[in-house]
Amino acid sequence: MDVIGAGFGRTCTLSLKAALEQLGFGPCYHMADVVEDPRRVRQWLEVGDGRTTDWDTIFQGFRSAVDFPAVSYWRELITHYPEAKVVLTVRDPDRWYESARDTIFHRAVENDEPDSRWQRWLHRMMLRRVPEMALFPQMAKATVADRVFGGRLDDREHCIEVFLRHNEAVKAAIPADRLLVYECREGWGPLCRFLGVPVPDVPFPHVNDRIQFNRRRPWLELRRLVLGRRRLGG
């Protein structure tokens, strides 16, 4: 593991994943990889339940990791991979919570099932075909909602306090020469200097805003229904 992302989800982690992969630090592990490969759900459920912390098996084949659920275990990961550099992605805390509430927190706070009838049908059919995905809410609760936020995802002040406290804890725990505190709007420059690589001759990737996030779910579930347990990218 060469790079560990210590920033919470919705701090531009999917853009950072794309950037790290363009810079040669890929594949980069992200919650998207858990969604795309349902077998990983059980792995993280075992971590959340305290049954295993076999990080080398979980991250086998990956050179970097960002986003939840990995960031929930950032202290364990920086110890297990002592040579890895750490990137703490940050953003305005109020905007972070609004984004998280409307995306990754939304169904945990409201209802795990989609709103429309056809999406509910699609969701239920997908769960029958890929039963591992039925464990996804339980896994996310154990590794993110309960572990990080004490189950209080609908409590704005509490979540923002957790967010700010987390960022300060990372800064306090990691030496300055190993840590980059970073906003993706800063572009390639700070990231490439920190990692010691040339700046690519392409725009910095900006992906997965709130609209894109919420539009992706039904199409991912349709693909999962067709592919079954096979990895979406396989």
Side-chain angles (χ1 to χ4, degrees):
M1 188 71 68
D2 296 311
V3 183
I4 296 169
F8 279 0
R10 306 312 297 171
T11 59
C12 214
T13 56
L14 198 57
S15 295
L16 178 60
K17 168 184 168 71
L20 290 172
E21 291 177 342
Q22 287 188 42
L23 294 174
F25 295 95
C28 178
Y29 199 105
H30 185 280
M31 182 66 88
D33 293 284
V34 181
V35 174
E36 289 184 354
D37 189 346
R39 292 167 294 186
R40 300 187 188 281
V41 176
R42 289 190 185 275
Q43 287 183 322
W44 282 105
L45 187 56
E46 290 180 356
V47 172
D49 288 347
R51 285 176 280 166
T52 184
T53 52
D54 188 354
W55 304 121
D56 292 336
T57 296
I58 291 172
F59 296 113
Q60 184 175 8
F62 290 86
R63 290 191 60 190
S64 53
V66 300
D67 197 60
F68 295 121
V71 70
S72 301
Y73 300 86
W74 66 274
R75 290 186 185 274
E76 291 86 343
L77 295 182
I78 65 170
T79 300
H80 190 74
Y81 300 107
E83 301 301 317
K85 293 193 172 184
V86 182
V87 179
L88 173 64
T89 43
V90 296
R91 69 184 297 188
D92 175 83
D94 290 302
R95 294 185 64 185
W96 165 77
Y97 181 76
E98 291 169 5
S99 178
R101 178 198 60 200
D102 294 343
T103 54
I104 59 177
F105 291 174
H106 173 67
R107 292 182 180 92
V109 173
E110 301 294 336
N111 189 324
D112 188 57
E113 287 200 334
D115 297 328
S116 71
R117 181 178 297 177
W118 83 269
Q119 287 187 26
R120 286 197 297 272
W121 174 86
L122 175 62
H123 180 67
R124 290 167 184 170
M125 292 298 294
M126 183 274 295
L127 293 181
R128 289 181 184 178
R129 181 152 164 75
V130 190
E132 290 92 342
M133 293 307 294
L135 298 174
F136 189 93
Q138 184 181 344
M139 179 277 293
K141 185 175 188 295
T143 62
V144 182
D146 288 351
R147 177 180 175 85
V148 179
F149 298 99
R152 296 164 59 185
L153 298 182
D154 57 347
D155 186 334
R156 179 191 186 98
E157 291 187 4
H158 170 74
C159 289
I160 289 177
E161 180 183 350
V162 170
F163 175 78
L164 294 173
R165 190 167 61 238
H166 166 81
N167 290 344
E168 292 306 312
V170 172
K171 294 175 191 176
I174 302 173
D177 61 347
R178 191 185 177 191
L179 175 67
L180 173 66
V181 180
Y182 180 66
E183 291 191 49
C184 285
R185 64 183 179 180
E186 297 176 79
W188 289 117
L191 183 63
C192 292
R193 285 194 297 272
F194 177 65
L195 297 176
V197 296
V199 174
D201 190 22
V202 293
F204 188 90
H206 292 284
V207 294
N208 203 35
D209 63 18
R210 269 180 267 186
I211 295 174
Q212 289 175 320
F213 182 99
N214 289 317
R215 284 178 175 172
R216 287 181 74 227
R217 182 178 183 182
W219 299 111
L220 285 173
E221 295 200 333
L222 180 60
R223 292 179 67 194
R224 175 57 61 211
L225 181 61
V226 173
L227 293 172
R229 288 182 172 86
R230 286 180 291 164
R231 181 178 170 87
L232 291 179

